[in-house]
PDB file of all heavy atoms in Angstrom:
ATOM      1  N   ALA A   1      -9.839   9.174 -20.395  1.00 92.00           N
ATOM      2  CA  ALA A   1      -8.966   9.478 -19.262  1.00 92.00           C
ATOM      3  C   ALA A   1      -9.009   8.396 -18.196  1.00 92.00           C
ATOM      4  O   ALA A   1      -8.187   8.397 -17.277  1.00 92.00           O
ATOM      5  CB  ALA A   1      -9.370  10.818 -18.634  1.00 92.00           C
ATOM      6  N   ASN A   2      -9.986   7.503 -18.319  1.00 93.00           N
ATOM      7  CA  ASN A   2     -10.106   6.453 -17.309  1.00 93.00           C
ATOM      8  C   ASN A   2     -11.039   5.348 -17.778  1.00 93.00           C
ATOM      9  O   ASN A   2     -11.791   5.507 -18.739  1.00 93.00           O
ATOM     10  CB  ASN A   2     -10.644   7.029 -15.993  1.00 93.00           C
ATOM     11  CG  ASN A   2     -12.045   7.601 -16.149  1.00 93.00           C
ATOM     12  OD1 ASN A   2     -12.219   8.762 -16.483  1.00 93.00           O
ATOM     13  ND2 ASN A   2     -13.060   6.764 -15.941  1.00 93.00           N
ATOM     14  N   PHE A   3     -10.951   4.246 -17.098  1.00 92.00           N
ATOM     15  CA  PHE A   3     -11.952   3.180 -17.171  1.00 92.00           C
ATOM     16  C   PHE A   3     -12.665   3.209 -15.830  1.00 92.00           C
ATOM     17  O   PHE A   3     -12.034   3.063 -14.779  1.00 92.00           O
ATOM     18  CB  PHE A   3     -11.267   1.827 -17.398  1.00 92.00           C
ATOM     19  CG  PHE A   3     -12.185   0.632 -17.266  1.00 92.00           C
ATOM     20  CD1 PHE A   3     -12.745   0.051 -18.381  1.00 92.00           C
ATOM     21  CD2 PHE A   3     -12.477   0.093 -16.017  1.00 92.00           C
ATOM     22  CE1 PHE A   3     -13.579  -1.046 -18.267  1.00 92.00           C
ATOM     23  CE2 PHE A   3     -13.312  -1.004 -15.894  1.00 92.00           C
ATOM     24  CZ  PHE A   3     -13.860  -1.574 -17.016  1.00 92.00           C
ATOM     25  N   LEU A   4     -13.978   3.448 -15.826  1.00 90.00           N
ATOM     26  CA  LEU A   4     -14.735   3.497 -14.572  1.00 90.00           C
ATOM     27  C   LEU A   4     -16.061   2.777 -14.741  1.00 90.00           C
ATOM     28  O   LEU A   4     -16.960   3.247 -15.439  1.00 90.00           O
ATOM     29  CB  LEU A   4     -14.974   4.936 -14.120  1.00 90.00           C
ATOM     30  CG  LEU A   4     -15.833   5.113 -12.856  1.00 90.00           C
ATOM     31  CD1 LEU A   4     -15.218   4.337 -11.687  1.00 90.00           C
ATOM     32  CD2 LEU A   4     -15.950   6.578 -12.491  1.00 90.00           C
ATOM     33  N   ASP A   5     -16.157   1.616 -14.100  1.00 88.00           N
ATOM     34  CA  ASP A   5     -17.377   0.814 -14.127  1.00 88.00           C
ATOM     35  C   ASP A   5     -18.062   0.948 -12.770  1.00 88.00           C
ATOM     36  O   ASP A   5     -17.517   0.510 -11.751  1.00 88.00           O
ATOM     37  CB  ASP A   5     -17.021  -0.650 -14.420  1.00 88.00           C
ATOM     38  CG  ASP A   5     -18.205  -1.595 -14.294  1.00 88.00           C
ATOM     39  OD1 ASP A   5     -19.344  -1.094 -14.300  1.00 88.00           O
ATOM     40  OD2 ASP A   5     -17.983  -2.810 -14.191  1.00 88.00           O
ATOM     41  N   VAL A   6     -19.248   1.582 -12.750  1.00 83.00           N
ATOM     42  CA  VAL A   6     -19.960   1.777 -11.479  1.00 83.00           C
ATOM     43  C   VAL A   6     -20.754   0.538 -11.084  1.00 83.00           C
ATOM     44  O   VAL A   6     -21.317   0.488  -9.988  1.00 83.00           O
ATOM     45  CB  VAL A   6     -20.900   3.001 -11.533  1.00 83.00           C
ATOM     46  CG1 VAL A   6     -20.111   4.267 -11.756  1.00 83.00           C
ATOM     47  CG2 VAL A   6     -21.954   2.820 -12.631  1.00 83.00           C
ATOM     48  N   GLY A   7     -20.799  -0.477 -11.953  1.00 74.00           N
ATOM     49  CA  GLY A   7     -21.439  -1.736 -11.611  1.00 74.00           C
ATOM     50  C   GLY A   7     -22.952  -1.709 -11.727  1.00 74.00           C
ATOM     51  O   GLY A   7     -23.567  -0.689 -12.046  1.00 74.00           O
ATOM     52  N   GLY A   8     -23.539  -2.840 -11.413  1.00 67.00           N
ATOM     53  CA  GLY A   8     -24.979  -2.983 -11.556  1.00 67.00           C
ATOM     54  C   GLY A   8     -25.773  -2.563 -10.344  1.00 67.00           C
ATOM     55  O   GLY A   8     -27.005  -2.620 -10.354  1.00 67.00           O
ATOM     56  N   THR A   9     -25.106  -2.150  -9.269  1.00 66.00           N
ATOM     57  CA  THR A   9     -25.812  -1.728  -8.049  1.00 66.00           C
ATOM     58  C   THR A   9     -25.531  -0.267  -7.736  1.00 66.00           C
ATOM     59  O   THR A   9     -25.504   0.136  -6.580  1.00 66.00           O
ATOM     60  CB  THR A   9     -25.388  -2.608  -6.860  1.00 66.00           C
ATOM     61  OG1 THR A   9     -23.959  -2.523  -6.684  1.00 66.00           O
ATOM     62  CG2 THR A   9     -25.766  -4.061  -7.095  1.00 66.00           C
ATOM     63  N   ALA A  10     -25.308   0.520  -8.769  1.00 66.00           N
ATOM     64  CA  ALA A  10     -24.966   1.934  -8.569  1.00 66.00           C
ATOM     65  C   ALA A  10     -26.103   2.682  -7.887  1.00 66.00           C
ATOM     66  O   ALA A  10     -27.271   2.462  -8.170  1.00 66.00           O
ATOM     67  CB  ALA A  10     -24.640   2.582  -9.908  1.00 66.00           C
ATOM     68  N   ASN A  11     -25.739   3.596  -6.993  1.00 69.00           N
ATOM     69  CA  ASN A  11     -26.714   4.475  -6.346  1.00 69.00           C
ATOM     70  C   ASN A  11     -26.145   5.879  -6.317  1.00 69.00           C
ATOM     71  O   ASN A  11     -25.067   6.141  -6.875  1.00 69.00           O
ATOM     72  CB  ASN A  11     -27.047   3.976  -4.934  1.00 69.00           C
ATOM     73  CG  ASN A  11     -25.796   3.754  -4.089  1.00 69.00           C
ATOM     74  OD1 ASN A  11     -24.829   4.511  -4.185  1.00 69.00           O
ATOM     75  ND2 ASN A  11     -25.821   2.728  -3.259  1.00 69.00           N
ATOM     76  N   ALA A  12     -26.843   6.797  -5.667  1.00 70.00           N
ATOM     77  CA  ALA A  12     -26.404   8.191  -5.652  1.00 70.00           C
ATOM     78  C   ALA A  12     -25.014   8.336  -5.051  1.00 70.00           C
ATOM     79  O   ALA A  12     -24.197   9.144  -5.513  1.00 70.00           O
ATOM     80  CB  ALA A  12     -27.415   9.034  -4.873  1.00 70.00           C
ATOM     81  N   GLN A  13     -24.726   7.535  -4.020  1.00 78.00           N
ATOM     82  CA  GLN A  13     -23.429   7.653  -3.340  1.00 78.00           C
ATOM     83  C   GLN A  13     -22.278   7.194  -4.238  1.00 78.00           C
ATOM     84  O   GLN A  13     -21.231   7.850  -4.316  1.00 78.00           O
ATOM     85  CB  GLN A  13     -23.433   6.823  -2.039  1.00 78.00           C
ATOM     86  CG  GLN A  13     -24.273   7.404  -0.905  1.00 78.00           C
ATOM     87  CD  GLN A  13     -25.763   7.306  -1.168  1.00 78.00           C
ATOM     88  OE1 GLN A  13     -26.236   6.312  -1.747  1.00 78.00           O
ATOM     89  NE2 GLN A  13     -26.515   8.328  -0.775  1.00 78.00           N
ATOM     90  N   THR A  14     -22.463   6.047  -4.928  1.00 81.00           N
ATOM     91  CA  THR A  14     -21.386   5.552  -5.782  1.00 81.00           C
ATOM     92  C   THR A  14     -21.182   6.456  -6.997  1.00 81.00           C
ATOM     93  O   THR A  14     -20.052   6.651  -7.447  1.00 81.00           O
ATOM     94  CB  THR A  14     -21.683   4.113  -6.260  1.00 81.00           C
ATOM     95  OG1 THR A  14     -22.962   4.083  -6.904  1.00 81.00           O
ATOM     96  CG2 THR A  14     -21.681   3.142  -5.097  1.00 81.00           C
ATOM     97  N   VAL A  15     -22.265   7.010  -7.528  1.00 80.00           N
ATOM     98  CA  VAL A  15     -22.148   7.921  -8.666  1.00 80.00           C
ATOM     99  C   VAL A  15     -21.396   9.184  -8.240  1.00 80.00           C
ATOM    100  O   VAL A  15     -20.520   9.679  -8.963  1.00 80.00           O
ATOM    101  CB  VAL A  15     -23.533   8.282  -9.236  1.00 80.00           C
ATOM    102  CG1 VAL A  15     -23.419   9.396 -10.274  1.00 80.00           C
ATOM    103  CG2 VAL A  15     -24.182   7.056  -9.861  1.00 80.00           C
ATOM    104  N   GLU A  16     -21.730   9.715  -7.059  1.00 82.00           N
ATOM    105  CA  GLU A  16     -21.023  10.902  -6.570  1.00 82.00           C
ATOM    106  C   GLU A  16     -19.548  10.591  -6.351  1.00 82.00           C
ATOM    107  O   GLU A  16     -18.675  11.400  -6.688  1.00 82.00           O
ATOM    108  CB  GLU A  16     -21.645  11.394  -5.259  1.00 82.00           C
ATOM    109  CG  GLU A  16     -20.956  12.650  -4.725  1.00 82.00           C
ATOM    110  CD  GLU A  16     -21.565  13.170  -3.441  1.00 82.00           C
ATOM    111  OE1 GLU A  16     -22.711  12.773  -3.120  1.00 82.00           O
ATOM    112  OE2 GLU A  16     -20.902  13.969  -2.752  1.00 82.00           O
ATOM    113  N   ALA A  17     -19.268   9.409  -5.791  1.00 86.00           N
ATOM    114  CA  ALA A  17     -17.870   9.007  -5.586  1.00 86.00           C
ATOM    115  C   ALA A  17     -17.138   8.922  -6.921  1.00 86.00           C
ATOM    116  O   ALA A  17     -15.983   9.359  -7.045  1.00 86.00           O
ATOM    117  CB  ALA A  17     -17.817   7.660  -4.866  1.00 86.00           C
ATOM    118  N   GLY A  18     -17.816   8.376  -7.942  1.00 87.00           N
ATOM    119  CA  GLY A  18     -17.215   8.305  -9.266  1.00 87.00           C
ATOM    120  C   GLY A  18     -16.923   9.677  -9.826  1.00 87.00           C
ATOM    121  O   GLY A  18     -15.850   9.903 -10.421  1.00 87.00           O
ATOM    122  N   PHE A  19     -17.851  10.606  -9.633  1.00 84.00           N
ATOM    123  CA  PHE A  19     -17.649  11.982 -10.074  1.00 84.00           C
ATOM    124  C   PHE A  19     -16.403  12.588  -9.419  1.00 84.00           C
ATOM    125  O   PHE A  19     -15.568  13.208 -10.078  1.00 84.00           O
ATOM    126  CB  PHE A  19     -18.870  12.836  -9.713  1.00 84.00           C
ATOM    127  CG  PHE A  19     -19.657  13.277 -10.909  1.00 84.00           C
ATOM    128  CD1 PHE A  19     -20.950  12.814 -11.103  1.00 84.00           C
ATOM    129  CD2 PHE A  19     -19.119  14.136 -11.844  1.00 84.00           C
ATOM    130  CE1 PHE A  19     -21.689  13.218 -12.200  1.00 84.00           C
ATOM    131  CE2 PHE A  19     -19.850  14.544 -12.944  1.00 84.00           C
ATOM    132  CZ  PHE A  19     -21.139  14.087 -13.125  1.00 84.00           C
ATOM    133  N   ARG A  20     -16.309  12.419  -8.113  1.00 85.00           N
ATOM    134  CA  ARG A  20     -15.185  13.005  -7.371  1.00 85.00           C
ATOM    135  C   ARG A  20     -13.847  12.446  -7.853  1.00 85.00           C
ATOM    136  O   ARG A  20     -12.865  13.171  -7.983  1.00 85.00           O
ATOM    137  CB  ARG A  20     -15.351  12.746  -5.873  1.00 85.00           C
ATOM    138  CG  ARG A  20     -16.506  13.514  -5.230  1.00 85.00           C
ATOM    139  CD  ARG A  20     -16.551  13.295  -3.729  1.00 85.00           C
ATOM    140  NE  ARG A  20     -17.678  14.001  -3.133  1.00 85.00           N
ATOM    141  CZ  ARG A  20     -17.657  15.293  -2.796  1.00 85.00           C
ATOM    142  NH1 ARG A  20     -16.554  16.006  -2.990  1.00 85.00           N
ATOM    143  NH2 ARG A  20     -18.711  15.867  -2.259  1.00 85.00           N
ATOM    144  N   ILE A  21     -13.836  11.162  -8.117  1.00 90.00           N
ATOM    145  CA  ILE A  21     -12.603  10.515  -8.574  1.00 90.00           C
ATOM    146  C   ILE A  21     -12.199  11.027  -9.955  1.00 90.00           C
ATOM    147  O   ILE A  21     -11.033  11.341 -10.207  1.00 90.00           O
ATOM    148  CB  ILE A  21     -12.784   8.986  -8.576  1.00 90.00           C
ATOM    149  CG1 ILE A  21     -12.852   8.474  -7.128  1.00 90.00           C
ATOM    150  CG2 ILE A  21     -11.649   8.299  -9.331  1.00 90.00           C
ATOM    151  CD1 ILE A  21     -13.327   7.046  -7.006  1.00 90.00           C
ATOM    152  N   ILE A  22     -13.173  11.134 -10.862  1.00 90.00           N
ATOM    153  CA  ILE A  22     -12.878  11.644 -12.206  1.00 90.00           C
ATOM    154  C   ILE A  22     -12.385  13.085 -12.143  1.00 90.00           C
ATOM    155  O   ILE A  22     -11.435  13.467 -12.836  1.00 90.00           O
ATOM    156  CB  ILE A  22     -14.133  11.543 -13.103  1.00 90.00           C
ATOM    157  CG1 ILE A  22     -14.470  10.081 -13.393  1.00 90.00           C
ATOM    158  CG2 ILE A  22     -13.916  12.289 -14.424  1.00 90.00           C
ATOM    159  CD1 ILE A  22     -15.771   9.879 -14.144  1.00 90.00           C
ATOM    160  N   MET A  23     -13.019  13.893 -11.291  1.00 86.00           N
ATOM    161  CA  MET A  23     -12.677  15.316 -11.202  1.00 86.00           C
ATOM    162  C   MET A  23     -11.280  15.557 -10.635  1.00 86.00           C
ATOM    163  O   MET A  23     -10.711  16.631 -10.787  1.00 86.00           O
ATOM    164  CB  MET A  23     -13.707  16.038 -10.329  1.00 86.00           C
ATOM    165  CG  MET A  23     -15.117  16.040 -10.899  1.00 86.00           C
ATOM    166  SD  MET A  23     -15.324  17.173 -12.283  1.00 86.00           S
ATOM    167  CE  MET A  23     -15.271  18.735 -11.438  1.00 86.00           C
ATOM    168  N   LYS A  24     -10.715  14.551  -9.956  1.00 86.00           N
ATOM    169  CA  LYS A  24      -9.375  14.713  -9.397  1.00 86.00           C
ATOM    170  C   LYS A  24      -8.296  14.708 -10.471  1.00 86.00           C
ATOM    171  O   LYS A  24      -7.163  15.116 -10.217  1.00 86.00           O
ATOM    172  CB  LYS A  24      -9.097  13.605  -8.371  1.00 86.00           C
ATOM    173  CG  LYS A  24      -9.844  13.781  -7.057  1.00 86.00           C
ATOM    174  CD  LYS A  24      -9.484  12.690  -6.068  1.00 86.00           C
ATOM    175  CE  LYS A  24     -10.217  12.908  -4.745  1.00 86.00           C
ATOM    176  NZ  LYS A  24      -9.879  11.843  -3.762  1.00 86.00           N
ATOM    177  N   ASP A  25      -8.636  14.236 -11.645  1.00 88.00           N
ATOM    178  CA  ASP A  25      -7.675  14.192 -12.748  1.00 88.00           C
ATOM    179  C   ASP A  25      -7.675  15.542 -13.456  1.00 88.00           C
ATOM    180  O   ASP A  25      -8.655  15.912 -14.106  1.00 88.00           O
ATOM    181  CB  ASP A  25      -8.062  13.083 -13.723  1.00 88.00           C
ATOM    182  CG  ASP A  25      -7.024  12.874 -14.825  1.00 88.00           C
ATOM    183  OD1 ASP A  25      -6.123  13.728 -14.956  1.00 88.00           O
ATOM    184  OD2 ASP A  25      -7.120  11.866 -15.545  1.00 88.00           O
ATOM    185  N   PRO A  26      -6.589  16.301 -13.370  1.00 88.00           N
ATOM    186  CA  PRO A  26      -6.552  17.633 -13.988  1.00 88.00           C
ATOM    187  C   PRO A  26      -6.600  17.611 -15.505  1.00 88.00           C
ATOM    188  O   PRO A  26      -6.868  18.643 -16.134  1.00 88.00           O
ATOM    189  CB  PRO A  26      -5.220  18.204 -13.489  1.00 88.00           C
ATOM    190  CG  PRO A  26      -4.372  17.008 -13.185  1.00 88.00           C
ATOM    191  CD  PRO A  26      -5.323  15.961 -12.693  1.00 88.00           C
ATOM    192  N   ASN A  27      -6.365  16.439 -16.106  1.00 89.00           N
ATOM    193  CA  ASN A  27      -6.364  16.339 -17.565  1.00 89.00           C
ATOM    194  C   ASN A  27      -7.768  16.215 -18.154  1.00 89.00           C
ATOM    195  O   ASN A  27      -7.949  16.354 -19.364  1.00 89.00           O
ATOM    196  CB  ASN A  27      -5.528  15.135 -18.011  1.00 89.00           C
ATOM    197  CG  ASN A  27      -4.062  15.280 -17.649  1.00 89.00           C
ATOM    198  OD1 ASN A  27      -3.516  16.375 -17.706  1.00 89.00           O
ATOM    199  ND2 ASN A  27      -3.432  14.186 -17.265  1.00 89.00           N
ATOM    200  N   VAL A  28      -8.758  15.936 -17.314  1.00 89.00           N
ATOM    201  CA  VAL A  28     -10.118  15.722 -17.800  1.00 89.00           C
ATOM    202  C   VAL A  28     -10.739  17.039 -18.273  1.00 89.00           C
ATOM    203  O   VAL A  28     -10.823  18.005 -17.511  1.00 89.00           O
ATOM    204  CB  VAL A  28     -11.002  15.080 -16.705  1.00 89.00           C
ATOM    205  CG1 VAL A  28     -12.464  15.057 -17.138  1.00 89.00           C
ATOM    206  CG2 VAL A  28     -10.524  13.671 -16.402  1.00 89.00           C
ATOM    207  N   LYS A  29     -11.179  17.077 -19.530  1.00 88.00           N
ATOM    208  CA  LYS A  29     -11.793  18.266 -20.124  1.00 88.00           C
ATOM    209  C   LYS A  29     -13.292  18.094 -20.360  1.00 88.00           C
ATOM    210  O   LYS A  29     -13.992  19.064 -20.650  1.00 88.00           O
ATOM    211  CB  LYS A  29     -11.105  18.598 -21.456  1.00 88.00           C
ATOM    212  CG  LYS A  29      -9.594  18.763 -21.358  1.00 88.00           C
ATOM    213  CD  LYS A  29      -9.204  19.870 -20.373  1.00 88.00           C
ATOM    214  CE  LYS A  29      -7.685  20.021 -20.300  1.00 88.00           C
ATOM    215  NZ  LYS A  29      -7.288  20.996 -19.254  1.00 88.00           N
ATOM    216  N   ALA A  30     -13.786  16.862 -20.269  1.00 87.00           N
ATOM    217  CA  ALA A  30     -15.211  16.582 -20.428  1.00 87.00           C
ATOM    218  C   ALA A  30     -15.504  15.239 -19.779  1.00 87.00           C
ATOM    219  O   ALA A  30     -14.604  14.399 -19.625  1.00 87.00           O
ATOM    220  CB  ALA A  30     -15.604  16.564 -21.899  1.00 87.00           C
ATOM    221  N   ILE A  31     -16.773  15.044 -19.390  1.00 89.00           N
ATOM    222  CA  ILE A  31     -17.173  13.794 -18.748  1.00 89.00           C
ATOM    223  C   ILE A  31     -18.338  13.191 -19.520  1.00 89.00           C
ATOM    224  O   ILE A  31     -19.317  13.878 -19.824  1.00 89.00           O
ATOM    225  CB  ILE A  31     -17.586  14.021 -17.282  1.00 89.00           C
ATOM    226  CG1 ILE A  31     -16.397  14.552 -16.461  1.00 89.00           C
ATOM    227  CG2 ILE A  31     -18.110  12.723 -16.657  1.00 89.00           C
ATOM    228  CD1 ILE A  31     -16.761  14.909 -15.031  1.00 89.00           C
ATOM    229  N   LEU A  32     -18.205  11.913 -19.846  1.00 89.00           N
ATOM    230  CA  LEU A  32     -19.280  11.184 -20.535  1.00 89.00           C
ATOM    231  C   LEU A  32     -19.847  10.135 -19.582  1.00 89.00           C
ATOM    232  O   LEU A  32     -19.121   9.267 -19.097  1.00 89.00           O
ATOM    233  CB  LEU A  32     -18.755  10.504 -21.797  1.00 89.00           C
ATOM    234  CG  LEU A  32     -19.717   9.534 -22.491  1.00 89.00           C
ATOM    235  CD1 LEU A  32     -21.010  10.237 -22.895  1.00 89.00           C
ATOM    236  CD2 LEU A  32     -19.059   8.898 -23.708  1.00 89.00           C
ATOM    237  N   ILE A  33     -21.146  10.244 -19.306  1.00 87.00           N
ATOM    238  CA  ILE A  33     -21.844   9.250 -18.490  1.00 87.00           C
ATOM    239  C   ILE A  33     -22.699   8.407 -19.424  1.00 87.00           C
ATOM    240  O   ILE A  33     -23.603   8.922 -20.088  1.00 87.00           O
ATOM    241  CB  ILE A  33     -22.720   9.930 -17.423  1.00 87.00           C
ATOM    242  CG1 ILE A  33     -21.864  10.818 -16.515  1.00 87.00           C
ATOM    243  CG2 ILE A  33     -23.474   8.891 -16.602  1.00 87.00           C
ATOM    244  CD1 ILE A  33     -22.670  11.677 -15.564  1.00 87.00           C
ATOM    245  N   ASN A  34     -22.413   7.136 -19.483  1.00 86.00           N
ATOM    246  CA  ASN A  34     -23.112   6.235 -20.397  1.00 86.00           C
ATOM    247  C   ASN A  34     -23.695   5.074 -19.602  1.00 86.00           C
ATOM    248  O   ASN A  34     -22.970   4.167 -19.180  1.00 86.00           O
ATOM    249  CB  ASN A  34     -22.150   5.721 -21.475  1.00 86.00           C
ATOM    250  CG  ASN A  34     -22.872   4.891 -22.522  1.00 86.00           C
ATOM    251  OD1 ASN A  34     -24.087   4.976 -22.674  1.00 86.00           O
ATOM    252  ND2 ASN A  34     -22.117   4.069 -23.235  1.00 86.00           N
ATOM    253  N   ILE A  35     -24.985   5.118 -19.359  1.00 82.00           N
ATOM    254  CA  ILE A  35     -25.649   4.104 -18.545  1.00 82.00           C
ATOM    255  C   ILE A  35     -26.721   3.392 -19.355  1.00 82.00           C
ATOM    256  O   ILE A  35     -27.601   4.029 -19.934  1.00 82.00           O
ATOM    257  CB  ILE A  35     -26.302   4.727 -17.288  1.00 82.00           C
ATOM    258  CG1 ILE A  35     -25.249   5.473 -16.452  1.00 82.00           C
ATOM    259  CG2 ILE A  35     -26.997   3.656 -16.456  1.00 82.00           C
ATOM    260  CD1 ILE A  35     -24.159   4.609 -15.862  1.00 82.00           C
ATOM    261  N   PHE A  36     -26.620   2.073 -19.391  1.00 80.00           N
ATOM    262  CA  PHE A  36     -27.689   1.277 -19.983  1.00 80.00           C
ATOM    263  C   PHE A  36     -28.449   0.622 -18.838  1.00 80.00           C
ATOM    264  O   PHE A  36     -27.922  -0.250 -18.145  1.00 80.00           O
ATOM    265  CB  PHE A  36     -27.135   0.217 -20.936  1.00 80.00           C
ATOM    266  CG  PHE A  36     -28.218  -0.579 -21.607  1.00 80.00           C
ATOM    267  CD1 PHE A  36     -28.898  -0.046 -22.697  1.00 80.00           C
ATOM    268  CD2 PHE A  36     -28.587  -1.835 -21.145  1.00 80.00           C
ATOM    269  CE1 PHE A  36     -29.910  -0.751 -23.322  1.00 80.00           C
ATOM    270  CE2 PHE A  36     -29.603  -2.545 -21.758  1.00 80.00           C
ATOM    271  CZ  PHE A  36     -30.263  -2.009 -22.851  1.00 80.00           C
ATOM    272  N   GLY A  37     -29.668   1.058 -18.610  1.00 71.00           N
ATOM    273  CA  GLY A  37     -30.437   0.628 -17.447  1.00 71.00           C
ATOM    274  C   GLY A  37     -31.059  -0.727 -17.597  1.00 71.00           C
ATOM    275  O   GLY A  37     -32.284  -0.838 -17.749  1.00 71.00           O
ATOM    276  N   GLY A  38     -30.255  -1.764 -17.554  1.00 72.00           N
ATOM    277  CA  GLY A  38     -30.786  -3.110 -17.542  1.00 72.00           C
ATOM    278  C   GLY A  38     -30.865  -3.614 -16.113  1.00 72.00           C
ATOM    279  O   GLY A  38     -31.897  -4.091 -15.648  1.00 72.00           O
ATOM    280  N   ILE A  39     -29.768  -3.456 -15.402  1.00 67.00           N
ATOM    281  CA  ILE A  39     -29.717  -3.858 -13.999  1.00 67.00           C
ATOM    282  C   ILE A  39     -29.939  -2.634 -13.110  1.00 67.00           C
ATOM    283  O   ILE A  39     -30.800  -2.632 -12.241  1.00 67.00           O
ATOM    284  CB  ILE A  39     -28.357  -4.510 -13.669  1.00 67.00           C
ATOM    285  CG1 ILE A  39     -28.123  -5.729 -14.565  1.00 67.00           C
ATOM    286  CG2 ILE A  39     -28.297  -4.898 -12.205  1.00 67.00           C
ATOM    287  CD1 ILE A  39     -26.757  -6.343 -14.422  1.00 67.00           C
ATOM    288  N   VAL A  40     -29.153  -1.588 -13.362  1.00 72.00           N
ATOM    289  CA  VAL A  40     -29.284  -0.368 -12.570  1.00 72.00           C
ATOM    290  C   VAL A  40     -30.328   0.557 -13.213  1.00 72.00           C
ATOM    291  O   VAL A  40     -30.418   0.648 -14.435  1.00 72.00           O
ATOM    292  CB  VAL A  40     -27.923   0.353 -12.454  1.00 72.00           C
ATOM    293  CG1 VAL A  40     -27.428   0.789 -13.813  1.00 72.00           C
ATOM    294  CG2 VAL A  40     -28.010   1.542 -11.520  1.00 72.00           C
ATOM    295  N   ARG A  41     -31.150   1.203 -12.391  1.00 79.00           N
ATOM    296  CA  ARG A  41     -32.182   2.099 -12.900  1.00 79.00           C
ATOM    297  C   ARG A  41     -31.576   3.442 -13.294  1.00 79.00           C
ATOM    298  O   ARG A  41     -30.754   4.006 -12.581  1.00 79.00           O
ATOM    299  CB  ARG A  41     -33.254   2.329 -11.830  1.00 79.00           C
ATOM    300  CG  ARG A  41     -34.049   1.089 -11.533  1.00 79.00           C
ATOM    301  CD  ARG A  41     -35.208   1.334 -10.568  1.00 79.00           C
ATOM    302  NE  ARG A  41     -35.254   2.634  -9.959  1.00 79.00           N
ATOM    303  CZ  ARG A  41     -35.333   2.829  -8.635  1.00 79.00           C
ATOM    304  NH1 ARG A  41     -35.309   1.804  -7.808  1.00 79.00           N
ATOM    305  NH2 ARG A  41     -35.422   4.043  -8.149  1.00 79.00           N
ATOM    306  N   CYS A  42     -32.002   3.964 -14.448  1.00 82.00           N
ATOM    307  CA  CYS A  42     -31.465   5.229 -14.951  1.00 82.00           C
ATOM    308  C   CYS A  42     -31.794   6.401 -14.026  1.00 82.00           C
ATOM    309  O   CYS A  42     -30.978   7.312 -13.861  1.00 82.00           O
ATOM    310  CB  CYS A  42     -32.011   5.509 -16.354  1.00 82.00           C
ATOM    311  SG  CYS A  42     -31.390   4.387 -17.612  1.00 82.00           S
ATOM    312  N   ASP A  43     -32.987   6.382 -13.413  1.00 83.00           N
ATOM    313  CA  ASP A  43     -33.342   7.496 -12.539  1.00 83.00           C
ATOM    314  C   ASP A  43     -32.460   7.545 -11.297  1.00 83.00           C
ATOM    315  O   ASP A  43     -32.193   8.606 -10.748  1.00 83.00           O
ATOM    316  CB  ASP A  43     -34.820   7.434 -12.149  1.00 83.00           C
ATOM    317  CG  ASP A  43     -35.177   6.136 -11.437  1.00 83.00           C
ATOM    318  OD1 ASP A  43     -34.606   5.086 -11.788  1.00 83.00           O
ATOM    319  OD2 ASP A  43     -36.029   6.172 -10.530  1.00 83.00           O
TER     320      ASP A  43
END
């Protein structure tokens, strides 16, 4: 439903903003979060 790159400096605020943006799309039926913690920490 989208291309969304949170970048290598993602934090709680940017992740929440990403969530809000995805949720605005009424067509979204599921959300996949795929993070490879090389630059950004998974926690």
Side-chain angles (χ1 to χ4, degrees):
N2 63 272
F3 171 97
L4 176 56
D5 173 17
V6 297
T9 58
N11 53 37
Q13 288 71 37
T14 55
V15 171
E16 181 179 343
F19 249 114
R20 291 184 182 277
I21 290 167
I22 292 174
M23 296 286 288
K24 287 182 179 180
D25 186 348
N27 296 323
V28 171
K29 305 301 180 186
I31 297 175
L32 171 59
I33 301 172
N34 186 20
I35 303 296
F36 182 79
I39 302 174
V40 63
R41 293 185 352 233
C42 291
D43 59 325

